[in-house]
Amino acid sequence: MIGVSGRHIDPEDPVWILNQYRAAEVHGAGAIMRMARLADTARLRSDLSRHLRDEAVHAWLWTRAIEDFGGEVAEVAQPYQARLSAHFGIPKTLTDMLALTLVSEKRGLSEYELHVDQADLPQAVRRPLKAIIRDEAWHVSYIEEALRERARADRRVNDIIERAERADVLAVAELETEAAGTDR
């Protein structure tokens, strides 16, 4: 998601990280729309439609949280997913896109779970986190199932997932380095 693993949300100024989360949801919605055009089963088309709805709602929840803190929605030049894709390469197949989405959703879920239990977290952040975590867990579940189905017919699927996981590690390292060197 944000790609800065373990980063504490500053309860006094959460706007920077909330903009990162919002940008990730908006970027994710675009990827889901592209995948929906390539979906090759009715089940996947249905799941992607629900997922698209979720991404839009999540972006709105983060927008509202940003505004609750008196912040402004800001453009994020290189959100996590853009960096993930850059390290993976241009996805050429639906399987590539599903693998990238899986690692992105897992990253988001782990980041959100890490933050939701933060003791000093304002309710304006905790509320959307709790709602979004339920959706993110389902996203991971349905994508894992779709990839398991694909792996039955194509043994390269696991290699593609591993490639996406390596891209995730690189994207996160890049974002952590950048965050450590900037004063937002």
Side-chain angles (χ1 to χ4, degrees), residues 8-50:
H8 182 82
I9 295 179
D10 179 353
E12 299 299 317
D13 184 23
V15 174
W16 180 83
I17 200 167
L18 298 179
N19 266 302
Q20 295 289 327
Y21 285 166
R22 182 189 171 280
E25 298 292 351
V26 170
H27 195 277
I32 300 302
M33 285 176 44
R34 287 187 296 281
M35 279 191 288
R37 289 191 293 270
L38 300 173
D40 50 9
T41 67
R43 176 80 257 152
L44 187 56
R45 281 189 288 279
S46 176
D47 288 344
L48 288 167
S49 294
R50 177 178 165 190

Side-chain angles (χ1 to χ4, degrees), residues 13 33 55 57 65 80 92 101 103 109 122 131 135 147 152 174:
D13 184 23
M33 285 176 44
E55 297 294 299
V57 169
Y80 161 77
K92 295 179 176 71
T101 302
V103 299
L109 181 58
D135 294 339
L147 286 167
R152 289 185 185 105
E174 188 176 281

Side-chain angles (χ1 to χ4, degrees), residues 24-167:
E25 298 292 351
V26 170
H27 195 277
I32 300 302
M33 285 176 44
R34 287 187 296 281
M35 279 191 288
R37 289 191 293 270
L38 300 173
D40 50 9
T41 67
R43 176 80 257 152
L44 187 56
R45 281 189 288 279
S46 176
D47 288 344
L48 288 167
S49 294
R50 177 178 165 190
H51 191 161
L52 178 60
R53 183 229 32 213
D54 292 347
E55 297 294 299
V57 169
H58 299 171
W60 167 241
L61 290 172
W62 291 131
T63 299
R64 195 170 70 194
I66 291 164
E67 291 171 350
D68 285 349
F69 283 98
E72 292 183 10
V73 171
E75 183 64 29
V76 175
Q78 285 287 316
Y80 161 77
Q81 288 96 334
R83 294 167 192 257
L84 177 66
S85 293
H87 289 290
F88 182 85
I90 296 171
K92 295 179 176 71
T93 67
L94 178 58
T95 300
D96 289 350
M97 294 176 81
L98 285 166
L100 283 167
T101 302
L102 176 64
V103 299
S104 176
E105 293 294 326
K106 283 183 171 182
R107 172 66 55 194
L109 181 58
S110 68
E111 290 286 327
Y112 290 160
E113 288 175 334
L114 183 85
H115 293 310
V116 77
D117 292 327
Q118 183 179 317
D120 58 352
L121 192 67
Q123 282 301 315
V125 177
R126 189 178 316 279
R127 271 191 310 275
L129 277 173
K130 285 183 175 183
I132 292 169
I133 285 171
R134 285 188 303 272
D135 294 339
E136 298 294 335
W138 176 75
H139 299 165
V140 168
S141 175
Y142 95 80
I143 295 168
E144 284 177 334
E145 178 57 32
L147 286 167
R148 275 193 298 275
E149 283 293 318
R150 297 178 100 67
R152 289 185 185 105
D154 183 353
R155 58 187 169 87
R156 296 173 298 168
V157 170
N158 290 326
D159 294 336
I160 294 167
I161 295 169
E162 288 174 11
R163 186 171 140 221
E165 289 169 341
R166 286 191 302 273

Side-chain angles (χ1 to χ4, degrees), residues 7 16 175 177-184:
R7 187 177 191 94
W16 180 83
L175 282 165
T177 299
E178 184 178 299
T182 61
D183 290 335
R184 289 182 262 141

